[in-house]
Amino acid sequence: HLDSVLVDHGFSLATDQVLANYQLQANFDYYNFSTYNASMLISKADSSIFVRLLSQKPLISVFTNRYQSNYFRFDTNFLDFKKHHLFFSYTKNDFYFSNDLTVFDNYIYLNQDQHFSQNFEQFFHLKSDIAFKWKWRLLHGAHSLTYQQSSNNDVFRVPAYTFFTELYINPILFEESLDLKLGSTLRYFSSYYANAYSPALANTYLQDDQLVGNFPFLTVYANFWIETVNIEFQLANLFDKFTDESYYVIPNIPYYRSPFQLLVSWQFN
């Protein structure tokens, strides 16, 4: 038996060249029914630039078009769903920047009634990332900021800003017998109407009842490495102790209230 829906054909071209102090890698893929992909990477020892243009036509699953259970019944006939990506990134030592623009055609999603729907208007999703690391004596830092924008918040929703920062010290003690890492992390994303989870469908759907986000998630930790033994202590969601609010990533499912976690691992030679 041969299912023609899964058959595709095309070709791929690739090159890898060294020009002066730079390495150039380029790739082009063409598959008639599903994918067009062109990418280029220019790199040297301490920096790189990467550009990719990708167009995809994902197959619509049988589950999306035809489904029946005790709670749901789908009988649809959607048009082809298409995604077009334009991605750019730049890396220089410990600095990173990227822009990712995605354009959607005939986007398929689960609406507020937990039924699959199709949006026939073209819209875009823009995601920009910036990140860097630094070190001063024993103190280390890592920080990142993400900005996102959707041109159609009725069907595709994202937080406008996401922030992450980490500070830690990493001294080597007892003639390098003990490797110690003490630090903290802080995560934050701006409020938005995140998709809710449907256990019956094992998928997420749009909701307009609960905003999530706008709540800092602070964690402190200590890691000890003694030869082949690693011991990690972690206390998460510390701000929960100072407010009656709960931390949510998914609506209706609050995170644990300041859990204490202990991890012990031992590597046997």
Side-chain angles (χ1 to χ4, degrees), residues 45-75:
D46 61 349
S47 62
S48 66
I49 295 175
F50 179 70
V51 181
R52 179 179 64 200
L53 179 62
L54 174 65
S55 179
Q56 294 177 304
K57 185 170 66 174
L59 290 174
I60 300 174
S61 70
V62 175
F63 172 83
T64 302
N65 273 331
R66 301 287 185 272
Y67 177 76
Q68 186 170 350
S69 71
N70 293 335
Y71 304 98
F72 297 96
R73 183 175 184 272
F74 303 136
D75 188 5

Side-chain angles (χ1 to χ4, degrees), residues 4 27 40 42 58 67 78 95 98 145 151 154-156 166 205 209 224 228 230 245 248 253 257 259 263 265-266 269:
S4 61
N27 186 77
M40 181 177 64
I42 302 174
Y67 177 76
F78 291 131
F95 174 81
S98 70
L145 176 65
S151 64
D154 292 333
V155 300
F156 192 91
E166 179 180 22
Y205 64 94
D209 300 321
F224 301 87
T228 60
N230 174 223
E245 298 181 33
Y248 290 87
I253 306 177
R257 303 188 71 90
L263 170 67
S265 62
W266 193 332
N269 294 326

Side-chain angles (χ1 to χ4, degrees), residues 40-235:
M40 181 177 64
L41 173 65
I42 302 174
S43 61
K44 60 178 184 178
D46 61 349
S47 62
S48 66
I49 295 175
F50 179 70
V51 181
R52 179 179 64 200
L53 179 62
L54 174 65
S55 179
Q56 294 177 304
K57 185 170 66 174
L59 290 174
I60 300 174
S61 70
V62 175
F63 172 83
T64 302
N65 273 331
R66 301 287 185 272
Y67 177 76
Q68 186 170 350
S69 71
N70 293 335
Y71 304 98
F72 297 96
R73 183 175 184 272
F74 303 136
D75 188 5
T76 60
N77 188 22
F78 291 131
L79 300 177
D80 289 336
F81 164 45
K82 298 179 181 179
K83 293 193 298 184
H84 313 282
H85 294 269
L86 177 59
F87 178 82
F88 167 83
S89 70
Y90 171 73
T91 303
K92 175 72 172 179
N93 294 323
D94 292 325
F95 174 81
Y96 173 82
F97 172 77
S98 70
N99 257 328
D100 190 356
L101 176 65
T102 305
V103 178
F104 296 92
D105 283 324
N106 300 326
Y107 180 67
I108 298 172
Y109 62 98
L110 277 170
N111 63 21
Q112 287 83 344
D113 297 323
Q114 301 184 46
H115 286 86
F116 282 103
S117 300
Q118 187 161 41
N119 178 73
F120 299 105
E121 297 181 1
Q122 188 179 82
F123 69 94
F124 71 84
H125 169 224
L126 175 65
K127 181 180 180 183
S128 299
D129 290 292
I130 186 170
F132 64 95
K133 299 178 181 179
W134 55 270
K135 177 183 177 182
W136 183 72
R137 296 185 178 179
L138 294 179
L139 183 62
H140 300 250
H143 317 279
S144 66
L145 176 65
T146 299
Y147 170 74
Q148 296 184 85
Q149 180 184 354
S150 169
S151 64
N152 190 340
N153 284 310
D154 292 333
V155 300
F156 192 91
R157 299 167 180 177
V158 291
Y161 296 97
T162 303
F163 174 74
F164 170 81
T165 187
E166 179 180 22
L167 293 173
Y168 64 92
I169 59 174
N170 189 202
I172 307 297
L173 305 175
F174 302 108
E175 298 181 352
E176 300 186 358
S177 297
L178 173 63
D179 188 355
L180 173 65
K181 183 177 180 181
L182 301 173
S184 65
T185 62
L186 178 67
R187 304 174 189 272
Y188 171 86
F189 61 90
S190 55
S191 61
Y192 75 113
Y193 287 102
N195 285 3
Y197 180 72
S198 169
L201 295 174
N203 208 334
T204 60
Y205 64 94
L206 293 173
Q207 61 87 27
D208 302 314
D209 300 321
Q210 183 181 1
L211 284 167
V212 302
N214 196 30
F215 190 95
F217 189 87
L218 177 64
T219 298
V220 295
Y221 62 86
N223 289 346
F224 301 87
W225 288 271
I226 307 172
E227 296 182 351
T228 60
V229 179
N230 174 223
I231 303 174
E232 179 178 346
F233 302 91
Q234 180 172 283
L235 185 60

